[in-house]
Amino acid sequence: LLHPGKTGTVRLKSTSPFDPPAVDPQYFEHPDDIKTYLSGIRLVLDIVNTPLMRHYTDGVPRIVKGTCESSPCGCPPSDGDAKDFDEKWECVVRAAASTVYHPAGTAKMGKSSDKMAVVDSRLRVFGVKGLRVVDASVMPTVTSGNTNAPTIMIAEKAADMIKQDIAE
């Protein structure tokens, strides 16, 4: 889900720097998130059930094979018109969905007047001299693709800015 309806949180558990933060991704906290997944599942099922694809598949997505028998959800229907389609697939999605480990936006870049901003346009942390954040966390919103290339660009730009600051 590239653009969830809710934004997760990262908070400190305590004042100790050795305690890990409390991370709450807020997965599926917005009703449109599940609707988006169900729409995508229907599309996949339509594709795998075309005559051309039926040659390569039995019409059941691979994620379901071998796992649904032991799932608390049971086996979801592959017929998008089935009465319990949404209910069964929502259960599977909630049980099986996970991150792809490309979090971003936890140290938002913005103006000092923005309460959510952590760094300025030169990636300097507000209120902390000599500290910059140079990774995907400075992206105010997550890109619709892999974050690797934009993160490399951020790092390249940061290197240029640091060299400029040293030269001044």
Side-chain angles (χ1 to χ4, degrees), residues 122 124 132 160-168:
R122 296 188 64 81
R124 298 173 297 205
R132 295 181 198 244
D160 290 342
M161 290 187 292
I162 292 167
K163 287 188 272 186
Q164 286 172 347
D165 290 352
I166 290 171
E168 291 176 359

Side-chain angles (χ1 to χ4, degrees), residues 29-115:
E29 292 295 318
H30 193 280
D32 288 346
D33 295 350
I34 289 293
K35 289 178 187 174
T36 300
Y37 263 88
L38 294 176
S39 176
I41 291 166
R42 280 190 170 85
L43 176 62
V44 168
L45 291 172
D46 287 347
I47 292 168
V48 299
N49 282 301
T50 61
L52 181 62
M53 291 302 292
R54 292 292 287 176
H55 178 74
Y56 301 101
T57 178
D58 60 3
V60 180
R62 193 177 305 163
I63 188 171
V64 176
K65 291 183 180 184
T67 60
C68 66
E69 290 84 2
S70 60
S71 166
C73 309
C75 292
S78 56
D79 174 10
D81 295 325
K83 186 175 82 170
D84 60 349
F85 183 91
D86 287 1
E87 176 188 340
K88 291 275 192 172
W89 274 106
E90 179 176 347
C91 181
V92 169
V93 166
R94 288 185 183 277
S98 65
T99 180
V100 290
Y101 303 105
H102 288 91
T106 57
K108 180 183 176 185
M109 181 191 329
K111 296 181 179 182
S112 59
S113 59
D114 181 348
K115 289 182 182 181

